[in-house]
Amino acid sequence: MNASGELKDKVILVTGATRGIGEAIVHVLAREGAHVVASSIEAQRATELAATLPGGEKRHLGLELDVTDEAQRARAFDLIQGRFGRLDGLVNNAGANFSKPFTETTLGQWRRLFDINLDSVFDLSRRAIDLFLAQAPQGGSIVNVSSVHTLATLPGAAPYAATKGAMNMLTKGLATEFSSRNIRVNAVAPGLVKTEVWKSIVDDFGGDEEACLCYWRKNIPAGDIIAPEAIAEVVSFALSDRARAMSGSILYVDGGMTSQLIATR
């Protein structure tokens, strides 16, 4: 296969790659010519996903990665170096949603959420940056998948919002420290996306998806729930050379949700 596209032959690691936004990102990056490392806690599904991409297992790699497991994080980078010899991009997409009354939230749940949503991003980014600095030509790009909860949030979501708010500031801090060394760090902040989380939102409407859609379409200026592929296209752009002047940016991809002053009931 002759790779073509905005990300031709770039090696990009995607976490949480087998579901929702992560799976969409994998498909778009492969379409744009990247060698995709599709990592997930679902090892078999990750391997199967890599095999279905253009060029199959000759161009791509599926691997098991529980982002909270330090040994698995180290192994993932060893495998990438052994297979491809370099890394050009990292998409920190793996994460956990959380909604629970604050006074019922335990310290253990708080720490577990930070372990998944933030501590893993710190360590994976550190490892990626070490590679970016050591390789020739030097450089690379990181995209963190953040959330609209960094601008406004909902009752019961304070811990989740805290993890994503910290992710945004980590993004900006790394951008200021490493942009001069050809390493760009940006974040994409999705709004309401039709993933597995959407199912739990529908459950809040008694399982009536039409009623749920009707409500949210009134509360999103663009008038609809976002498809995972729309988020993936923005991630692909942020990784590409077209975004070469962009670092430390937080891209809100939310159909105008966070721009609306008052929700429509």
Side-chain angles (χ1 to χ4, degrees):
M1 173 185 173
N2 293 320
S4 61
E6 295 288 345
L7 299 171
K8 180 180 178 181
D9 293 333
K10 291 186 181 295
V11 180
I12 302 173
L13 168 61
V14 181
T15 67
T18 54
R19 304 279 177 176
I21 292 172
E23 186 173 4
I25 291 170
V26 164
H27 283 287
V28 170
L29 299 187
R31 183 199 71 198
E32 292 300 319
H35 296 280
V36 182
V37 181
S39 70
S40 170
I41 198 168
E42 302 174 297
Q44 182 176 346
R45 190 176 173 93
T47 300
E48 291 171 352
L49 175 59
T52 67
L53 300 174
E57 293 176 324
K58 291 183 178 180
R59 285 190 57 81
H60 311 288
L61 175 64
L63 58 83
E64 180 180 13
L65 176 57
D66 175 351
V67 296
T68 67
D69 188 317
E70 185 175 3
Q72 287 193 24
R73 294 194 298 260
R75 176 177 175 271
F77 280 86
D78 288 342
L79 288 172
I80 291 167
Q81 283 185 290
R83 171 73 181 273
F84 300 104
R86 65 177 292 109
L87 181 70
D88 300 289
L90 166 66
V91 182
N92 283 309
N93 169 71
N97 192 35
F98 188 85
S99 181
K100 190 174 184 179
F102 185 71
T103 55
E104 297 175 14
T105 302
T106 67
L107 184 59
Q109 289 170 329
W110 167 271
R111 287 173 173 162
R112 174 65 176 168
L113 190 65
F114 268 79
D115 191 16
I116 298 169
N117 287 3
L118 191 64
D119 294 355
S120 68
V121 174
F122 162 81
D123 191 48
L124 289 166
S125 298
R126 181 182 61 82
R127 293 175 187 276
I129 289 170
D130 281 345
L131 278 184
F132 294 161
L133 292 173
Q135 64 196 13
Q138 186 182 83
S141 178
I142 297 173
V143 176
N144 296 320
V145 178
S146 178
S147 171
V148 292
H149 281 267
T150 57
L151 282 182
T153 193
L154 297 167
Y160 176 80
T163 65
K164 294 299 185 176
M167 177 189 279
N168 277 7
M169 290 312 300
L170 178 64
T171 297
K172 290 180 176 291
L174 294 179
T176 61
E177 188 169 350
F178 294 104
S179 292
S180 63
R181 303 176 78 175
N182 198 33
I183 297 172
R184 298 184 301 106
V185 187
N186 294 289
V188 172
L192 185 55
V193 184
K194 202 164 187 179
T195 63
E196 292 188 359
V197 173
W198 170 249
K199 296 176 184 177
S200 65
I201 297 172
V202 171
D203 288 342
D204 291 338
F205 280 75
D208 188 339
E209 186 166 14
E210 281 305 312
C212 189
L213 282 168
C214 182
Y215 172 83
W216 281 107
R217 282 169 176 160
K218 291 177 181 178
N219 284 276
I220 299 172
D224 209 350
I225 312 305
I226 300 167
E229 292 74 19
I231 307 299
E233 295 285 0
V234 179
V235 170
S236 177
F237 164 74
L239 288 165
S240 77
D241 291 340
R242 288 183 296 160
R244 58 189 175 276
M246 189 174 73
S247 194
S249 296
I250 314 296
L251 304 174
Y252 287 89
V253 189
D254 63 358
M257 179 188 289
T258 55
S259 297
Q260 183 166 279
L261 184 61
I262 299 174
T264 303
R265 297 290 179 181

